[in-house]
Amino acid sequence: MSKRFPFAEVEPRWQKYWLENKTFAAGDDTSKPKFYCLDMFPYPSGAGLHVGHIEGYTATDILSRYKRMKGFNVLHCTGWDAFGLPAEQYAVKTGVHPAITTKQNIDNFRQQMQRAGLSYDWDREVDTTDPAYYRWTQWIFLKLYERGLAYVAEIPVNWCPELGTVLANEEVVDGKSEVGGFEVIRQPMRQWVLKITEYADRLLDDLRMVEWPNGTLIMQKEWIGRSTGAEVDFALDGVKGNLRIFTTRPDTLFGATYMVLAPEHPLVDVLTAPAQREAVSAYVEATRRKSDLERQQDKKKTGVFTGGHAINPVNGEKLPIWIADYVMMGYGTGAIMAVPAHDERDWEFAREFGLTIREVVSGGDVQQAAFTETDEGTIVNSTAPDGAFSIDGLTPDTAIPKITEWLATRGLGQKAVNYKLRDWAFSRQRYWGEPFPIVWTDGRHHPLPESQLPLRLPDLQEYKPSGTGESPLANAAEWLATTDPETGAPARRETNTMPQWAGSCWYYLRFIDPKNPGALVDPAKEKYWMPVDLYVGGAEHAVLHLLYARFWHKVLFDIGVVSTPEPFIKLVHQGIILGEDGRKMSKRWGNVVDPNEMIDQYGADSLRIFEMFMGPLEAMKPWSSKGVEGIMRFLDRVWRLYVNEDGSHAFTAEPAPVEALRILHKTIAKVGRDIEDLKFNTAIAQMMVFVNEVNPMPTRSRELLEPFVLVLAPFAPHLAEELWSRLGHTGTLSYEPFPAFDPALVVEDTVTVAVQVNGKLRATLDLPRGAEQAAVQEAAFADERVAKYVTGATIKKVIHVKDKLLNVVVAS
RNA sequence: GCCGGAGUGGCGGAAUUGGCAGACGCACCGGACUCAAAAUCCGGAGCUGCGCAAGCAGCGUGGGGGUUCAAGUCCCCCCUCCGGCACCA
């Protein structure tokens, strides 16, 4: 009857206990050291949690439970990133208010999390769609607005005339709407934009303060894409005005043989010669019809000559001006000087259209390929016609500052820094998002005063798009009509809503003080809990979410709301869990694993441990239901160490033999160390070793078994609580100290030394720890397996690594 | 194309600073218990060759070179897979 761990009865019982007793409520007891352990909170989809969510959540849960036992005040909570498209699309189809669907999904998610035994502080749950929450999202927007970090601009969006709505990138497939397959065009529309570029340098520099995966740091750096170079003005031939270009290679200025403008460049019209007008217009038109994606996918360079020319400021040469879609209006000045000899793209373009390739850095063969090295090669052909200036003979690295300075003193250009990072388009033409606290009068925007927050979403009867490109809020006539809070004049509310990123940009702050009606977060509490010590979530958020959240955090830092420049100190991405067939889990392959089914069949503790046992947290790994079964057998073996078949206690008061204590203390040491390093798979392996070794021993000493329950507790909390109470304790073990290990019991006094001859293993010897070389050598030579190779041979060298190895090198 | 990560038994994976490759689990095989099965417990196993056998020898961490007494680990070249980004001047 009690041969197995009765998880189906035990687990729900303890889950109920934890909830009723608020076991995991984090107090604001600042006398204790704090540990803030954060998961990326989920979007509560209709599909429910999957095993991939559980993986990351279990990892932080184990660490949180461990840290509590280590005496830390642990903040570990979750919430819902609940604004977003799916609930709105469902509402359009069925007329059910997104708030209702969202609530159902949240209830389902919460229930799943509780069934998995996650130790969240449920009193701190936050929901981004709750007006009490989004009031503060709106408040942050007002702060951005006040600081001039939010502005209005015309930005191209994916407009689908047939559907009368703007589409998200993921709703556009191959240039057509995902729903219906209608045409989608890029059309400028009035948008709120956040000036993240103003923080570009700090977002880049402060990456030094965090412990993030290297790949993620690189991705953020590349996304920000800071590059230093020069802006140079080229006079136009026969037309008034200058053409300003950005280049990272001013040292190659003498090698410029043509210019290229982005087709959208404002000077295109002015520069185009009558004879070229038709070709230019056709090209501009063709570019306009291309999506960004198509524009990027075209491998072959295309372009058209405008008929206009620019004058190279260093040598007075006349350079033809082309337009081509490989130059982007959104980066730099939207215009380049083309140096085909030393830029791959310019080289391809020059080859395509038979333009001159002039070498100005020797070191390669520029007729074969562009030579782009800057730390080698020598500048050539780079002396001004009057001989007054030359960079010939320099390396590019030294020539760049020299020519930049020369350009600056002559007023022809100056040093310049450019970023790939662009300002953040911050509005969506949707219903299910935070309304902007903004009203409009006569085309002018005015902020609402803080006292009018939250500005709630109105209830609608109809969630269909307005048809004009405005959000469905444009149909909410009553809500829409308001007055200017300052003058009382009639005003219209902003109909855009904020993107889903908004709520997730600061949720980690609200967990600290979730119910505070008067402030986003109490300053004293913020100072105590921040920064987040560990943040675990998917690598898909490596760039956008993490960059946006860092940006907001820095703004909040500047206005004194938060006390740290960076929000997340340590970051870890859990790997993807593949289906049993090694393919990505998806409905299409029928390989999706439902955590509820696993819990029904094997229990939550088995599921938790298996997810951690599969391999390193960061690795991608395939699921195995057989593997969960194996873990269940392990937990059953643990159970039987404590509980006899008739249900009576197996443990005794007798002292434990020293060999048993050794394995216990080794296990305590390894499991503790591995949890801190997030190496849960090897921690679990060690606990299995413990059970495998203790199981055959006759002892069931409490001295041995009681500490082991505490070691196991972070991983299998239900089983551990149950055994703890059977050991005679009342209440929870969640705050019992994690056992300490005795260093003397962790080291063995006998060690196995490998004996090699010429690097090949010939024998292993069990010797007392600390044996000196002479003793080891004597024992080794006495061993016939070694003697066979060394007697009579000339010994050239003997290498001894204490307690590990002896390598005898003999002449062959 | 560029950037990042990874290639270890039949499978998932282990292996402080270079120091016994394959811990732990899955699957498999054998045994005990049982009328039988399930469950449980005990044992076995990288591959190849020789041997009735305890054993012996060789080969082995994607491939090829190198450094070293010693390489999964360090260096060079190549191959494959996965993830991300893609004309950013």
Short mmCIF file of all heavy atoms in Angstrom, two decimals, chain A residues 227 247-248 296 301 328 331 345 420 614 633 681 688 789 807, chain B residues 12 14 20 24-27 40-41 57 69 84 87-89:
data_model
loop_
_atom_site.label_atom_id
_atom_site.label_comp_id
_atom_site.label_asym_id
_atom_site.label_seq_id
_atom_site.Cartn_x
_atom_site.Cartn_y
_atom_site.Cartn_z
N SER A 227 28.30 53.21 -34.33
CA SER A 227 29.52 53.26 -35.14
C SER A 227 29.99 54.70 -35.29
O SER A 227 29.20 55.62 -35.42
CB SER A 227 29.35 52.58 -36.50
OG SER A 227 28.33 53.19 -37.22
N THR A 247 29.97 58.30 -43.25
CA THR A 247 30.86 57.20 -43.60
C THR A 247 31.67 56.78 -42.38
O THR A 247 32.03 57.62 -41.55
CB THR A 247 31.81 57.56 -44.75
OG1 THR A 247 32.68 56.44 -44.99
CG2 THR A 247 32.66 58.78 -44.42
N THR A 248 31.93 55.48 -42.27
CA THR A 248 32.84 55.03 -41.21
C THR A 248 34.27 54.99 -41.74
O THR A 248 35.20 54.72 -41.00
CB THR A 248 32.48 53.59 -40.73
OG1 THR A 248 32.47 52.73 -41.86
CG2 THR A 248 31.14 53.58 -40.05
N GLN A 296 15.14 43.63 -48.55
CA GLN A 296 16.35 43.03 -48.00
C GLN A 296 16.67 41.69 -48.64
O GLN A 296 17.82 41.27 -48.66
CB GLN A 296 16.18 42.84 -46.49
CG GLN A 296 16.22 44.15 -45.75
CD GLN A 296 15.53 44.09 -44.42
OE1 GLN A 296 15.04 43.05 -44.01
NE2 GLN A 296 15.49 45.20 -43.72
N LYS A 301 22.09 43.65 -56.69
CA LYS A 301 21.99 45.11 -56.52
C LYS A 301 21.23 45.72 -57.69
O LYS A 301 21.46 45.38 -58.84
CB LYS A 301 23.38 45.71 -56.45
CG LYS A 301 24.20 45.27 -55.24
CD LYS A 301 23.86 46.11 -54.02
CE LYS A 301 24.68 45.69 -52.82
NZ LYS A 301 24.29 44.37 -52.28
N MET A 328 19.53 52.82 -47.10
CA MET A 328 18.30 52.97 -46.32
C MET A 328 18.13 54.42 -45.85
O MET A 328 19.07 55.00 -45.32
CB MET A 328 18.37 52.09 -45.06
CG MET A 328 18.68 50.64 -45.34
SD MET A 328 17.23 49.83 -45.99
CE MET A 328 18.02 48.56 -46.96
N TYR A 331 18.86 55.19 -41.90
CA TYR A 331 20.15 55.10 -41.23
C TYR A 331 21.08 56.18 -41.74
O TYR A 331 21.11 56.47 -42.94
CB TYR A 331 20.79 53.72 -41.48
CG TYR A 331 22.11 53.58 -40.75
CD1 TYR A 331 22.14 53.34 -39.38
CD2 TYR A 331 23.31 53.73 -41.43
CE1 TYR A 331 23.35 53.23 -38.71
CE2 TYR A 331 24.52 53.63 -40.77
CZ TYR A 331 24.53 53.39 -39.41
OH TYR A 331 25.72 53.29 -38.74
N ARG A 345 29.43 46.06 -50.61
CA ARG A 345 28.17 46.36 -51.28
C ARG A 345 28.40 47.30 -52.46
O ARG A 345 27.87 47.11 -53.54
CB ARG A 345 27.20 46.98 -50.28
CG ARG A 345 26.82 46.01 -49.18
CD ARG A 345 26.47 46.73 -47.92
NE ARG A 345 27.59 47.56 -47.46
CZ ARG A 345 27.56 48.30 -46.39
NH1 ARG A 345 26.47 48.36 -45.66
NH2 ARG A 345 28.62 49.01 -46.03
N LYS A 420 22.40 52.04 -35.16
CA LYS A 420 21.38 51.28 -35.90
C LYS A 420 20.05 51.42 -35.17
O LYS A 420 18.99 51.37 -35.78
CB LYS A 420 21.76 49.80 -35.93
CG LYS A 420 22.81 49.44 -36.96
CD LYS A 420 22.77 47.94 -37.18
CE LYS A 420 24.16 47.35 -37.02
NZ LYS A 420 24.14 45.89 -37.17
N MET A 614 16.90 16.69 -17.30
CA MET A 614 17.11 16.42 -18.73
C MET A 614 18.46 16.88 -19.22
O MET A 614 19.01 16.32 -20.17
CB MET A 614 16.03 17.13 -19.55
CG MET A 614 14.68 16.47 -19.46
SD MET A 614 13.56 17.12 -20.71
CE MET A 614 13.33 18.75 -20.13
N ARG A 633 10.23 6.61 -10.21
CA ARG A 633 10.81 5.46 -9.51
C ARG A 633 11.81 5.91 -8.45
O ARG A 633 11.88 5.35 -7.37
CB ARG A 633 11.51 4.53 -10.51
CG ARG A 633 10.53 3.66 -11.27
CD ARG A 633 11.23 2.43 -11.85
NE ARG A 633 12.12 2.79 -12.95
CZ ARG A 633 11.74 2.77 -14.24
NH1 ARG A 633 10.52 2.41 -14.56
NH2 ARG A 633 12.58 3.09 -15.19
N ASN A 681 20.84 19.48 -12.94
CA ASN A 681 20.93 18.09 -13.42
C ASN A 681 21.96 17.30 -12.61
O ASN A 681 21.71 16.16 -12.23
CB ASN A 681 21.24 18.04 -14.92
CG ASN A 681 22.45 18.88 -15.32
OD1 ASN A 681 22.80 19.85 -14.65
ND2 ASN A 681 23.09 18.51 -16.41
N MET A 688 20.56 10.98 -6.41
CA MET A 688 20.33 9.58 -6.81
C MET A 688 21.46 8.69 -6.29
O MET A 688 21.21 7.57 -5.84
CB MET A 688 20.25 9.48 -8.34
CG MET A 688 18.98 10.09 -8.90
SD MET A 688 19.04 10.15 -10.70
CE MET A 688 17.34 10.59 -11.07
N TYR A 789 55.68 -3.35 -17.64
CA TYR A 789 56.10 -2.34 -18.62
C TYR A 789 57.35 -1.59 -18.21
O TYR A 789 58.00 -0.97 -19.03
CB TYR A 789 54.97 -1.32 -18.86
CG TYR A 789 53.77 -1.93 -19.52
CD1 TYR A 789 52.71 -2.39 -18.76
CD2 TYR A 789 53.72 -2.08 -20.91
CE1 TYR A 789 51.61 -2.97 -19.36
CE2 TYR A 789 52.62 -2.65 -21.52
CZ TYR A 789 51.56 -3.10 -20.75
OH TYR A 789 50.49 -3.67 -21.34
N ASN A 807 52.47 9.10 -13.85
CA ASN A 807 52.76 8.72 -15.24
C ASN A 807 54.25 8.43 -15.37
O ASN A 807 55.08 9.30 -15.13
CB ASN A 807 52.33 9.86 -16.18
CG ASN A 807 52.44 9.45 -17.64
OD1 ASN A 807 52.64 8.28 -17.95
ND2 ASN A 807 52.30 10.42 -18.53
P G B 12 21.08 11.86 -27.75
OP1 G B 12 20.85 12.96 -28.68
OP2 G B 12 22.43 11.30 -27.57
"O5'" G B 12 20.54 12.29 -26.31
"C5'" G B 12 19.23 12.83 -26.19
"C4'" G B 12 18.98 13.19 -24.75
"O4'" G B 12 18.94 12.00 -23.94
"C3'" G B 12 20.08 14.01 -24.09
"O3'" G B 12 20.00 15.37 -24.48
"C2'" G B 12 19.76 13.78 -22.62
"O2'" G B 12 18.63 14.52 -22.24
"C1'" G B 12 19.42 12.29 -22.63
N9 G B 12 20.61 11.48 -22.38
C8 G B 12 21.45 10.92 -23.30
N7 G B 12 22.46 10.28 -22.75
C5 G B 12 22.26 10.42 -21.39
C6 G B 12 23.03 9.94 -20.30
O6 G B 12 24.06 9.26 -20.34
N1 G B 12 22.49 10.31 -19.08
C2 G B 12 21.34 11.05 -18.93
N2 G B 12 20.97 11.31 -17.68
N3 G B 12 20.61 11.51 -19.94
C4 G B 12 21.12 11.16 -21.13
P A B 14 25.62 17.82 -19.24
OP1 A B 14 25.21 18.98 -18.45
OP2 A B 14 26.52 17.98 -20.37
"O5'" A B 14 26.20 16.63 -18.31
"C5'" A B 14 26.73 16.77 -17.37
"C4'" A B 14 27.32 15.71 -16.50
"O4'" A B 14 27.33 14.37 -17.03
"C3'" A B 14 28.75 16.04 -16.25
"O3'" A B 14 28.81 16.99 -15.24
"C2'" A B 14 29.32 14.69 -15.83
"O2'" A B 14 29.04 14.42 -14.49
"C1'" A B 14 28.54 13.73 -16.73
N9 A B 14 29.21 13.37 -17.96
C8 A B 14 28.84 13.67 -19.25
N7 A B 14 29.63 13.17 -20.17
C5 A B 14 30.59 12.50 -19.43
C6 A B 14 31.72 11.75 -19.80
N6 A B 14 32.06 11.55 -21.07
N1 A B 14 32.47 11.22 -18.81
C2 A B 14 32.12 11.43 -17.54
N3 A B 14 31.09 12.10 -17.06
C4 A B 14 30.36 12.62 -18.07
P C B 20 41.58 11.84 -15.26
OP1 C B 20 41.29 12.00 -16.69
OP2 C B 20 40.57 12.17 -14.26
"O5'" C B 20 42.06 10.35 -15.01
"C5'" C B 20 42.99 9.72 -15.88
"C4'" C B 20 42.56 8.30 -16.09
"O4'" C B 20 42.48 7.64 -14.80
"C3'" C B 20 41.17 8.15 -16.72
"O3'" C B 20 41.19 7.03 -17.58
"C2'" C B 20 40.27 7.87 -15.54
"O2'" C B 20 39.13 7.12 -15.86
"C1'" C B 20 41.21 7.05 -14.65
N1 C B 20 40.84 7.10 -13.24
C2 C B 20 40.43 5.92 -12.62
O2 C B 20 40.41 4.88 -13.27
N3 C B 20 40.07 5.96 -11.33
C4 C B 20 40.09 7.10 -10.66
N4 C B 20 39.74 7.07 -9.39
C5 C B 20 40.50 8.33 -11.27
C6 C B 20 40.85 8.29 -12.56
P C B 24 26.53 5.81 -11.54
OP1 C B 24 26.46 5.20 -10.20
OP2 C B 24 26.62 4.97 -12.74
"O5'" C B 24 25.27 6.78 -11.73
"C5'" C B 24 24.82 7.60 -10.66
"C4'" C B 24 23.72 8.53 -11.15
"O4'" C B 24 24.28 9.49 -12.09
"C3'" C B 24 22.63 7.85 -11.97
"O3'" C B 24 21.68 7.20 -11.15
"C2'" C B 24 22.05 9.03 -12.73
"O2'" C B 24 21.28 9.85 -11.88
"C1'" C B 24 23.33 9.76 -13.11
N1 C B 24 23.86 9.28 -14.40
C2 C B 24 23.30 9.79 -15.58
O2 C B 24 22.41 10.63 -15.51
N3 C B 24 23.78 9.35 -16.77
C4 C B 24 24.75 8.43 -16.81
N4 C B 24 25.19 8.03 -18.01
C5 C B 24 25.32 7.88 -15.63
C6 C B 24 24.86 8.34 -14.45
P G B 25 20.98 5.86 -11.66
OP1 G B 25 20.17 5.38 -10.53
OP2 G B 25 21.97 4.97 -12.30
"O5'" G B 25 20.02 6.40 -12.80
"C5'" G B 25 18.88 7.17 -12.47
"C4'" G B 25 18.28 7.74 -13.72
"O4'" G B 25 19.30 8.46 -14.45
"C3'" G B 25 17.76 6.74 -14.73
"O3'" G B 25 16.51 6.21 -14.36
"C2'" G B 25 17.67 7.63 -15.97
"O2'" G B 25 16.59 8.52 -15.86
"C1'" G B 25 18.97 8.43 -15.84
N9 G B 25 20.06 7.77 -16.58
C8 G B 25 21.14 7.07 -16.09
N7 G B 25 21.91 6.61 -17.03
C5 G B 25 21.32 7.01 -18.21
C6 G B 25 21.69 6.82 -19.57
O6 G B 25 22.67 6.22 -20.01
N1 G B 25 20.79 7.40 -20.44
C2 G B 25 19.66 8.09 -20.07
N2 G B 25 18.91 8.59 -21.05
N3 G B 25 19.30 8.30 -18.82
C4 G B 25 20.17 7.74 -17.95
P C B 26 16.06 4.80 -14.90
OP1 C B 26 14.77 4.52 -14.26
OP2 C B 26 17.18 3.85 -14.77
"O5'" C B 26 15.83 5.06 -16.45
"C5'" C B 26 14.72 5.85 -16.88
"C4'" C B 26 14.75 5.99 -18.38
"O4'" C B 26 16.02 6.53 -18.79
"C3'" C B 26 14.67 4.67 -19.14
"O3'" C B 26 13.33 4.20 -19.21
"C2'" C B 26 15.19 5.10 -20.50
"O2'" C B 26 14.24 5.84 -21.21
"C1'" C B 26 16.34 6.03 -20.09
N1 C B 26 17.64 5.33 -20.03
C2 C B 26 18.27 5.00 -21.24
O2 C B 26 17.71 5.33 -22.31
N3 C B 26 19.45 4.36 -21.24
C4 C B 26 20.01 4.03 -20.07
N4 C B 26 21.19 3.39 -20.11
C5 C B 26 19.39 4.33 -18.82
C6 C B 26 18.21 4.97 -18.84
P A B 27 13.04 2.64 -19.10
OP1 A B 27 11.58 2.51 -19.16
OP2 A B 27 13.79 2.06 -17.96
"O5'" A B 27 13.69 2.10 -20.44
"C5'" A B 27 13.04 2.34 -21.70
"C4'" A B 27 13.93 1.88 -22.82
"O4'" A B 27 15.17 2.64 -22.78
"C3'" A B 27 14.38 0.43 -22.76
"O3'" A B 27 13.42 -0.46 -23.28
"C2'" A B 27 15.63 0.48 -23.63
"O2'" A B 27 15.31 0.56 -25.00
"C1'" A B 27 16.25 1.80 -23.16
N9 A B 27 17.10 1.56 -21.99
C8 A B 27 16.82 1.80 -20.67
N7 A B 27 17.79 1.46 -19.85
C5 A B 27 18.77 0.96 -20.69
C6 A B 27 20.04 0.44 -20.46
N6 A B 27 20.57 0.33 -19.23
N1 A B 27 20.75 0.02 -21.51
C2 A B 27 20.23 0.12 -22.73
N3 A B 27 19.04 0.61 -23.10
C4 A B 27 18.35 1.01 -22.02
P U B 40 9.42 -0.65 -9.95
OP1 U B 40 9.63 0.79 -9.76
OP2 U B 40 9.91 -1.33 -11.17
"O5'" U B 40 10.02 -1.45 -8.70
"C5'" U B 40 9.72 -1.03 -7.37
"C4'" U B 40 10.21 -2.06 -6.39
"O4'" U B 40 9.58 -3.34 -6.68
"C3'" U B 40 11.70 -2.37 -6.47
"O3'" U B 40 12.46 -1.41 -5.75
"C2'" U B 40 11.76 -3.75 -5.84
"O2'" U B 40 11.65 -3.68 -4.44
"C1'" U B 40 10.49 -4.39 -6.41
N1 U B 40 10.74 -5.15 -7.65
C2 U B 40 11.28 -6.43 -7.55
O2 U B 40 11.59 -6.93 -6.48
N3 U B 40 11.49 -7.07 -8.75
C4 U B 40 11.20 -6.60 -10.00
O4 U B 40 11.43 -7.31 -10.98
C5 U B 40 10.64 -5.27 -10.03
C6 U B 40 10.43 -4.61 -8.89
P C B 41 13.90 -1.03 -6.23
OP1 C B 41 14.32 0.14 -5.44
OP2 C B 41 13.93 -0.97 -7.71
"O5'" C B 41 14.75 -2.30 -5.79
"C5'" C B 41 14.93 -2.60 -4.41
"C4'" C B 41 15.56 -3.95 -4.27
"O4'" C B 41 14.70 -4.96 -4.87
"C3'" C B 41 16.87 -4.13 -5.03
"O3'" C B 41 17.97 -3.61 -4.31
"C2'" C B 41 16.94 -5.65 -5.16
"O2'" C B 41 17.33 -6.27 -3.94
"C1'" C B 41 15.48 -5.99 -5.45
N1 C B 41 15.20 -6.06 -6.90
C2 C B 41 15.54 -7.24 -7.59
O2 C B 41 16.09 -8.16 -6.97
N3 C B 41 15.28 -7.33 -8.91
C4 C B 41 14.70 -6.30 -9.54
N4 C B 41 14.46 -6.44 -10.85
C5 C B 41 14.34 -5.10 -8.87
C6 C B 41 14.61 -5.02 -7.55
P A B 57 47.26 -5.66 -21.44
OP1 A B 57 48.65 -5.22 -21.14
OP2 A B 57 46.13 -5.05 -20.73
"O5'" A B 57 47.00 -5.52 -23.01
"C5'" A B 57 48.00 -5.97 -23.93
"C4'" A B 57 47.44 -5.96 -25.33
"O4'" A B 57 46.26 -6.80 -25.40
"C3'" A B 57 46.93 -4.61 -25.83
"O3'" A B 57 47.98 -3.75 -26.21
"C2'" A B 57 46.07 -5.06 -27.01
"O2'" A B 57 46.86 -5.44 -28.11
"C1'" A B 57 45.40 -6.30 -26.41
N9 A B 57 44.10 -5.97 -25.81
C8 A B 57 43.79 -5.78 -24.49
N7 A B 57 42.52 -5.49 -24.27
C5 A B 57 41.97 -5.49 -25.54
C6 A B 57 40.66 -5.26 -25.99
N6 A B 57 39.64 -4.96 -25.18
N1 A B 57 40.43 -5.33 -27.32
C2 A B 57 41.45 -5.61 -28.14
N3 A B 57 42.73 -5.86 -27.83
C4 A B 57 42.92 -5.78 -26.50
P C B 69 56.78 16.82 -23.14
OP1 C B 69 57.82 17.13 -22.16
OP2 C B 69 57.08 16.67 -24.57
"O5'" C B 69 56.03 15.49 -22.65
"C5'" C B 69 56.61 14.22 -22.88
"C4'" C B 69 55.81 13.17 -22.16
"O4'" C B 69 55.93 13.39 -20.72
"C3'" C B 69 54.31 13.23 -22.41
"O3'" C B 69 53.98 12.55 -23.59
"C2'" C B 69 53.76 12.54 -21.17
"O2'" C B 69 53.89 11.13 -21.25
"C1'" C B 69 54.71 13.06 -20.08
N1 C B 69 54.19 14.24 -19.39
C2 C B 69 53.12 14.10 -18.49
O2 C B 69 52.63 12.98 -18.33
N3 C B 69 52.65 15.17 -17.83
C4 C B 69 53.21 16.37 -18.02
N4 C B 69 52.72 17.40 -17.34
C5 C B 69 54.30 16.56 -18.93
C6 C B 69 54.76 15.48 -19.58
P G B 84 15.49 31.61 -34.28
OP1 G B 84 14.16 31.99 -33.78
OP2 G B 84 15.65 30.99 -35.61
"O5'" G B 84 16.44 32.89 -34.23
"C5'" G B 84 16.47 33.71 -33.06
"C4'" G B 84 17.59 34.70 -33.16
"O4'" G B 84 18.85 34.00 -33.39
"C3'" G B 84 17.52 35.65 -34.34
"O3'" G B 84 16.62 36.70 -34.11
"C2'" G B 84 18.97 36.12 -34.43
"O2'" G B 84 19.26 37.05 -33.42
"C1'" G B 84 19.71 34.82 -34.15
N9 G B 84 20.08 34.12 -35.39
C8 G B 84 19.50 33.00 -35.93
N7 G B 84 20.07 32.62 -37.05
C5 G B 84 21.08 33.54 -37.26
C6 G B 84 22.04 33.64 -38.30
O6 G B 84 22.19 32.91 -39.28
N1 G B 84 22.88 34.75 -38.12
C2 G B 84 22.80 35.62 -37.07
N2 G B 84 23.70 36.62 -37.07
N3 G B 84 21.92 35.53 -36.08
C4 G B 84 21.10 34.47 -36.24
P C B 87 19.37 44.10 -44.65
OP1 C B 87 18.09 44.75 -44.49
OP2 C B 87 19.58 43.08 -45.68
"O5'" C B 87 20.55 45.20 -44.69
"C5'" C B 87 21.84 44.83 -44.24
"C4'" C B 87 22.83 45.05 -45.36
"O4'" C B 87 22.29 44.54 -46.60
"C3'" C B 87 23.16 46.51 -45.58
"O3'" C B 87 24.56 46.68 -45.59
"C2'" C B 87 22.58 46.81 -46.95
"O2'" C B 87 23.39 47.70 -47.66
"C1'" C B 87 22.61 45.45 -47.62
N1 C B 87 21.63 45.30 -48.69
C2 C B 87 22.09 45.01 -49.98
O2 C B 87 23.31 44.87 -50.15
N3 C B 87 21.19 44.89 -50.98
C4 C B 87 19.90 45.05 -50.73
N4 C B 87 19.06 44.91 -51.75
C5 C B 87 19.40 45.35 -49.43
C6 C B 87 20.30 45.47 -48.45
P C B 88 25.42 46.55 -44.26
OP1 C B 88 26.79 46.76 -44.73
OP2 C B 88 25.04 45.37 -43.47
"O5'" C B 88 24.96 47.81 -43.42
"C5'" C B 88 25.34 49.11 -43.82
"C4'" C B 88 25.15 50.06 -42.67
"O4'" C B 88 23.74 50.33 -42.49
"C3'" C B 88 25.64 49.52 -41.33
"O3'" C B 88 26.16 50.59 -40.60
"C2'" C B 88 24.39 48.99 -40.67
"O2'" C B 88 24.43 49.05 -39.28
"C1'" C B 88 23.33 49.96 -41.20
N1 C B 88 21.99 49.37 -41.31
C2 C B 88 20.93 49.94 -40.58
O2 C B 88 21.15 50.91 -39.87
N3 C B 88 19.70 49.41 -40.70
C4 C B 88 19.50 48.36 -41.50
N4 C B 88 18.28 47.87 -41.57
C5 C B 88 20.56 47.77 -42.22
C6 C B 88 21.78 48.30 -42.11
P A B 89 27.68 50.66 -40.35
OP1 A B 89 28.30 49.42 -39.89
OP2 A B 89 27.61 51.83 -39.52
"O5'" A B 89 28.37 51.02 -41.73
"C5'" A B 89 28.75 52.32 -41.96
"C4'" A B 89 28.99 52.51 -43.42
"O4'" A B 89 27.84 52.04 -44.17
"C3'" A B 89 29.12 53.98 -43.81
"O3'" A B 89 30.43 54.47 -43.64
"C2'" A B 89 28.69 53.98 -45.26
"O2'" A B 89 29.74 53.55 -46.08
"C1'" A B 89 27.59 52.93 -45.24
N9 A B 89 26.25 53.50 -45.07
C8 A B 89 25.88 54.63 -44.39
N7 A B 89 24.60 54.88 -44.43
C5 A B 89 24.09 53.84 -45.19
C6 A B 89 22.80 53.54 -45.60
N6 A B 89 21.74 54.27 -45.29
N1 A B 89 22.62 52.45 -46.34
C2 A B 89 23.68 51.71 -46.65
N3 A B 89 24.96 51.89 -46.33
C4 A B 89 25.10 52.99 -45.58
#
